[in-house]
Amino acid sequence: MHYKNCSFPDLENNWKATTNYRLNEIQKASTTSDILNKWTGFTLPLGYRLIDIDFRTLYPNCPNLVSIFEDKSEKLMDLLNEKIKDNSSRMLFESLKNSSNIICQNGKNTVLFYLLHAIFVPTSKKVTKDDKGKKSLVKYSIKDSQNSFMIFKNSVCEMEEYITCRSKEKNPIQPYILIVGTPTDPKEILVFFDSTKYKVFSMVHAIDICFKIFHLFNLEYPSQSITVWIFIQKYFFSLTTKFDKPCHLIGQILSDLTNN
């Protein structure tokens, strides 16, 4: 479907009227590209608003992340303080605590999501080869988890180069967040997946869009950061699905957060 001669508000109205039909079609699609080629509205700069329309039909009881985030995130600061053991993550957390009056809200939220990976340390493994071609299993690192979730670049030019390199890999690109700047000072934020990118202005909104893309398009979370994504799913979105993999740590932390 193409929408070249349609204003975006009109498109949104048409989109709402066809949501159930589209959700059925998405279930049948074999690739994300098939979905984007058929429903090209998703690829527009404001396509994330269309994702939101469909997601809310699919999961009408999910809370609105933006409205609940502040209350939920306050509890996470105590959790980070208690649980972070990794040295570099600890240093970043201390800098957040000590400079909280000069770090913008977007920076604070970016650091918070970045440091979740130091609590939900990856348990899955990757296959590596040495110089002689011998294979071995190596556990993903905290950095691997963070890099599958959000990537930081120094400039828009570097970011575009990174996107080009990823696109040349010929592998489907799972949703992730691209940031120009640093965790404490994110200057530009993009959500990127497949061949589509959305520019947004807050980290919370970026997380919201990424999460909804995974669930609307039936995509798996990256194996490097699956535990972080499942925690976000359970804690912020109160969502349980038949595909959830059990994780004792998530259950324990959710229980602690609920009881505190």
Side-chain angles (χ1 to χ4, degrees):
M1 283 198 170
H2 299 275
Y3 314 97
K4 288 179 181 173
N5 301 318
C6 181
S7 71
F8 200 81
D10 286 342
L11 173 55
E12 285 182 299
N13 288 331
N14 292 336
W15 206 264
K16 288 172 186 173
T18 55
T19 291
N20 287 320
Y21 169 71
R22 188 169 40 260
L23 290 175
N24 285 329
E25 291 294 300
I26 287 172
Q27 290 294 329
K28 299 175 196 170
S30 52
T31 68
T32 308
S33 296
D34 290 346
I35 299 167
L36 298 179
N37 288 334
K38 183 165 186 178
W39 307 97
T40 55
F42 284 131
T43 65
L44 296 171
L46 293 176
Y48 56 82
R49 284 164 55 171
L50 307 179
I51 287 170
D52 193 59
I53 289 169
D54 287 352
F55 179 87
R56 280 188 281 126
T57 302
L58 195 59
Y59 296 108
N61 297 322
C62 265
N64 181 304
L65 179 60
V66 175
S67 62
I68 63 162
F69 180 76
E70 191 173 339
D71 287 344
K72 292 266 190 180
S73 63
E74 283 178 11
K75 288 186 175 183
L76 286 186
M77 290 301 289
D78 294 334
L79 180 74
L80 291 171
N81 192 29
E82 179 191 340
K83 300 281 187 186
I84 289 178
K85 303 290 189 285
D86 172 67
N87 284 339
S88 62
S89 300
R90 189 83 226 171
M91 286 171 62
L92 180 56
F93 180 73
E94 293 301 327
S95 73
L96 174 63
K97 275 203 312 184
N98 298 333
S99 313
S100 63
N101 57 331
I102 56 173
I103 297 175
C104 68
Q105 193 59 51
N106 241 352
K108 291 174 186 175
N109 295 341
T110 303
V111 171
L112 186 147
F113 282 111
Y114 196 65
L115 290 179
L116 283 179
H117 300 261
I119 296 177
F120 300 102
V121 178
T123 55
S124 50
K125 296 179 179 179
K126 59 183 172 181
V127 177
T128 61
K129 285 184 181 179
D130 62 17
D131 297 341
K132 297 175 182 175
K134 184 181 177 183
K135 292 181 180 179
S136 59
L137 278 176
V138 180
K139 192 182 285 188
Y140 285 117
S141 66
I142 291 171
K143 194 69 183 167
D144 289 331
S145 181
Q146 289 167 331
N147 285 346
S148 72
F149 191 93
M150 60 176 83
I151 293 284
F152 295 90
K153 295 296 175 185
N154 294 319
S155 65
V156 173
C157 183
E158 275 190 27
M159 185 162 63
E160 292 296 341
E161 285 175 6
Y162 178 80
I163 289 172
T164 302
C165 287
R166 285 295 303 269
S167 300
K168 285 178 180 173
E169 290 172 7
K170 303 294 184 197
N171 296 322
I173 298 176
Q174 291 165 299
Y176 67 95
I177 297 163
L178 259 173
I179 296 167
V180 175
T182 64
T184 54
D185 185 22
K187 293 180 172 65
E188 283 203 31
I189 304 172
L190 288 182
V191 174
F192 190 79
F193 78 108
D194 204 72
S195 56
T196 300
K197 57 187 175 187
Y198 303 128
K199 184 175 180 178
V200 295
F201 298 96
S202 86
M203 175 52 61
V204 176
H205 195 193
I207 296 289
D208 185 63
I209 295 167
C210 253
F211 178 80
K212 288 172 178 175
I213 292 169
F214 279 118
H215 286 270
L216 180 60
F217 295 148
N218 303 308
L219 302 175
E220 291 185 1
Y221 297 136
S223 54
Q224 301 94 318
S225 53
I226 184 171
T227 316
V228 172
W229 275 116
I230 291 176
F231 172 74
I232 289 170
Q233 172 190 317
K234 303 270 189 190
Y235 182 60
F236 289 109
F237 290 92
S238 305
L239 182 62
T240 299
T241 78
K242 63 183 178 182
F243 305 108
D244 297 349
K245 294 180 180 175
C247 173
H248 175 74
L249 178 61
I250 291 176
Q252 182 61 54
I253 286 178
L254 287 173
S255 175
D256 292 346
L257 288 167
T258 304
N259 295 328
N260 286 346

